[in-house]
């Protein structure tokens, strides 16, 4: 009997992916159905449902659940079970009008041009997009990448149960990294872990992340370094490079029996606190009892307070999730402490000064951030040795040296520690 945390709102995982002959038969049927194109976000969500990461969803949400998620974190169709962000599918008006209720449609990924699944359309509805943005993103600013995606959605939402037919390119592109929740649970059980902390990553794993992972191992049986292999913003480091950098770090600095690296296909929404809750929910499905929530989890720009994503776990109704957050303060290397430290432990308030050559010129705290690391490297500047292990720097350097179209990384004020 597994001692791992149970899936969300269910005693077992609910993967909606068909396999074998059932998949072949459904795929054949799908070819004759009306085609509903999906954005990369919608495709990512569909795959999450396919692999059981969005247990216990049956498909894309109807209006009552959309409203419930926006306003009270609940799904009326599931006994008001907790859910923090609407999972919806949109379609153009003419296409929606042509689909009858009860009709089955083909779900088609616009980017890969692949049939990803089928859905029995049980509801068609329109939403107040601005309301969704205000509730989920706390802003309607179109410069916010998550808001932009919602505002660009087609006007009608289609809801209904889905059958998933493909995991897209993920299994092939990230072998051994891309995992289904049933696989991660099995690996945790094989190692005898009962408590597992997930470390969410979308940037290269630098010194602060490693520090958080070691702390998690001290308090849990193991750490699941779980990174996004779905879509990011332009300028972010691609997943394959991040995977390589994590390998370099884990191989040399972690006990193999205490760490597992994995990847998941969902796209970032950059919804800060609300997304931290969604990250927690699907990590519970992956078998994790804890989620490390550091500074500005899943945020972008300066839309969220640095610890809003920790506070929100105290604002949702008790018992919403079985997973618990591991709230961590802002961590950094401190030249005075001579080690990694956090705002909670380090009494030295001065900021370390690093010159343009990457040399230490005095002061205490070297505030590490993925954004700052990206900026230094994309400009070809040296990175202080305390920023990350040399093996990681080497992997990233190779990437930047080969990058033809260097994207200027804007260093927003949060990353400089001036906030
Ligand atoms: Zn210190």
């Amino acid at each position: 009997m597994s001692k791992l945390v149970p899936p969300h709102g269910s005693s077992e995982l609910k993967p909606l992916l068909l396999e074998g002959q059932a998949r072949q038969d459904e795929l054949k049927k799908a070819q004759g159905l009306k085609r509903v194109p999906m954005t990369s976000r919608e495709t990512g969500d569909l795959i999450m449902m396919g692999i059981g990461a969005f247990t216990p969803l049956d498909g894309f949400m109807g209006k009552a659940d959309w409203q419930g998620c926006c306003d009270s974190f609940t799904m009326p169709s599931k006994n008001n079970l907790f859910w923090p962000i609407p999972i919806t599918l949109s379609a153009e008006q003419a296409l929606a009008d042509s689909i009858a209720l009860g009709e089955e449609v083909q779900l088609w990924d616009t980017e890969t041009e692949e049939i990803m699944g089928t859905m029995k359309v049980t509801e068609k509805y329109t939403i107040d997009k601005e309301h969704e943005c205000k509730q989920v993103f706390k802003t309607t600013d179109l410069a916010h990448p998550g808001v932009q995606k919602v505002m660009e959605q087609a006007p009608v939402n289609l809801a209904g149960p889905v059958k998933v037919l493909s995991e897209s390119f993920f299994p092939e592109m990230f072998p051994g990294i891309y995992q289904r929740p049933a696989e991660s649970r099995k690996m945790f059980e094989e190692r005898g872990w009962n408590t597992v902390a997930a470390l969410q990553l979308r940037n290269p794993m630098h010194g602060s992340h490693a520090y958080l992972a070691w702390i998690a191992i001290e308090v849990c049986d193991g750490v699941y370094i779980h990174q996004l292999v779905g879509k990011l913003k332009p300028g972010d480091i691609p997943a394959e490079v991040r995977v390589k950098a994590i390998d370099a770090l884990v191989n040399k600095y972690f006990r193999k029996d205490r760490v597992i690296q994995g990847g998941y296909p969902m796209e970032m929404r950059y919804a800060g606190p609300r997304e931290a809750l969604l990250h927690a929910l699907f990590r519970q499905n992956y078998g994790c009892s804890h989620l490390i929530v550091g500074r500005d989890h899943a945020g972008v720009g300066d839309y969220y307070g640095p610890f809003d994503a920790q506070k929100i776990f105290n604002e949702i109704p008790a018992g919403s999730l079985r997973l618990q957050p591991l709230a961590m303060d802002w961590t950094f290397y401190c030249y005075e402490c001579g080690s990694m430290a956090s705002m909670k432990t380090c009494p030295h308030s001065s900021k370390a000064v690093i010159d343009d050559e990457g040399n230490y010129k005095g002061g205490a705290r070297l505030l590490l951030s993925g954004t700052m690391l990206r900026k230094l490297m994309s400009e070809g500047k040296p990175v202080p040795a305390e920023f990350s292990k040399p093996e990681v720097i080497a992997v990233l350097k190779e990437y930047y040296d080969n990058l033809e179209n260097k994207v200027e990384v804007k260093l927003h004020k949060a990353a400089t520690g001036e906030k």
Side-chain angles (χ1 to χ4, degrees):
M1 179 75 185
S2 173
K3 288 182 181 155
L4 294 171
V5 70
H8 181 56
S10 175
S11 56
E12 6 187 276
L13 289 168
K14 204 167 148 187
L16 305 176
L17 187 71
L18 299 183
E19 297 189 81
Q21 192 58 44
R23 179 183 173 276
Q24 292 306 322
D25 294 345
E26 189 70 15
L27 194 56
K28 204 170 164 195
K29 188 179 85 184
Q31 280 155 0
L33 301 176
K34 223 165 267 168
R35 173 174 286 177
V36 176
M38 294 187 295
T39 63
S40 55
R41 189 200 76 201
E42 291 161 346
T43 298
D45 288 348
L46 183 72
I47 301 172
M48 292 292 275
M49 290 191 260
I51 60 181
F54 277 172
T55 296
L57 298 191
D58 310 289
F60 287 105
M61 290 179 181
K63 185 150 193 181
D65 287 351
W66 172 82
Q67 192 87 50
C69 287
C70 287
D71 298 345
S72 56
F73 302 93
T74 56
M75 294 185 287
S77 77
K78 299 257 179 220
N79 269 330
N80 288 324
L81 183 70
F82 173 79
W83 202 280
I85 293 182
I87 306 298
T88 57
L89 171 68
S90 68
E92 294 300 338
Q93 187 73 51
L95 175 61
D97 289 346
S98 76
I99 298 167
L101 288 183
E103 186 175 337
E104 288 186 280
V105 295
Q106 173 201 111
L107 303 176
W108 187 77
D109 180 30
T110 321
E111 293 191 0
T112 59
E113 305 190 336
E114 185 186 3
I115 297 173
M116 296 298 297
T118 59
M119 180 168 86
K120 185 174 182 180
V121 179
T122 54
E123 193 183 340
K124 303 188 271 186
Y125 63 101
T126 54
I127 56 164
D128 178 346
K129 292 179 183 176
E130 287 203 355
H131 180 70
E132 177 173 335
C133 292
K134 270 183 214 149
Q135 295 297 94
V136 172
F137 300 103
K138 301 280 172 219
T139 174
T140 52
D141 184 357
L142 283 171
H144 185 296
V147 169
Q148 192 189 356
K149 284 251 170 174
V150 171
M151 297 311 287
E152 281 173 356
Q153 274 171 214
V156 185
N157 278 3
L158 302 178
V162 298
K163 290 173 183 163
V164 184
L165 301 173
S166 169
E167 293 164 275
S168 194
F169 50 79
F170 294 108
E172 206 170 293
M173 193 182 271
F174 303 102
I177 296 294
Y178 170 78
Q179 287 151 9
R180 301 175 185 180
E183 293 169 331
S184 61
R185 284 175 171 270
K186 187 161 172 273
M187 288 190 280
F188 300 163
E189 280 166 7
E190 281 166 359
R191 283 164 180 74
W193 296 356
N194 297 326
T195 55
V196 187
L199 174 64
Q200 151 75 22
L201 277 186
R202 61 176 152 126
N203 286 318
M205 187 164 173
H206 56 64
S208 280
H209 299 126
Y211 182 58
L212 296 180
W214 288 318
I215 293 172
I217 294 171
E218 295 289 359
V219 296
C220 290
D221 296 330
V223 70
Y224 188 42
I225 300 175
H226 204 207
Q227 70 165 318
L228 176 139
V229 291
K231 215 171 181 186
L232 290 158
K233 312 187 252 73
D236 284 334
I237 292 181
E240 56 273 24
V241 179
R242 288 182 276 124
V243 167
K244 220 170 141 188
I246 295 171
D247 279 341
L249 191 67
V250 164
N251 287 341
K252 187 155 175 197
Y253 300 100
F254 283 78
R255 282 184 59 118
K256 300 267 182 304
D257 57 346
R258 295 290 179 189
V259 61
I260 294 172
Q261 182 184 177
Y264 67 96
M266 194 182 84
E267 183 168 310
M268 275 305 289
R269 286 167 163 80
Y270 301 98
R274 285 265 190 158
E275 190 154 4
L277 295 173
L278 187 61
H279 284 169
L281 188 157
F282 77 74
R283 263 41 175 267
Q284 185 182 322
N285 285 332
Y286 271 92
C288 300
S289 57
H290 294 79
L291 172 69
I292 297 168
V293 183
R295 191 185 164 282
D296 199 26
H297 187 104
V300 62
D302 297 312
Y303 293 101
Y304 309 106
F307 298 105
D308 287 359
Q310 298 178 353
K311 287 180 203 147
I312 200 166
F313 284 87
N314 298 322
E315 292 160 9
I316 56 174
S320 296
L321 291 167
R322 292 288 295 274
L323 173 147
Q324 297 294 315
L326 270 186
M328 304 272 198
D329 212 315
W330 200 354
T331 59
F332 42 80
Y333 183 85
C334 174
Y335 288 93
E336 293 281 335
C337 292
S339 65
M340 292 299 299
S342 81
M343 295 290 187
K344 228 170 156 180
T345 64
C346 166
H348 314 105
S349 55
S350 69
K351 210 174 134 187
V353 179
I354 305 294
D355 70 12
D356 286 347
E357 304 307 310
N359 299 312
Y360 170 64
K361 292 289 177 192
R365 295 172 174 177
L366 177 63
L367 299 164
L368 313 176
S369 86
T371 313
M372 192 187 231
L373 178 66
R374 290 203 303 272
K375 183 170 161 60
L376 282 173
M377 300 201 82
S378 64
E379 289 172 1
K381 297 210 175 123
V383 176
E386 291 76 13
F387 210 108
S388 195
K389 298 290 187 193
E391 292 82 359
V392 175
I393 299 294
V395 170
L396 298 177
K397 192 159 181 348
E398 187 192 353
Y399 165 70
Y400 278 112
D401 287 349
N402 292 323
L403 193 64
E404 285 177 359
N405 302 313
K406 292 189 182 179
V407 182
E408 187 196 345
V409 177
K410 286 191 183 129
L411 195 61
H412 62 75
K413 69 181 185 211
T416 60
E418 284 161 6
K419 194 170 185 175

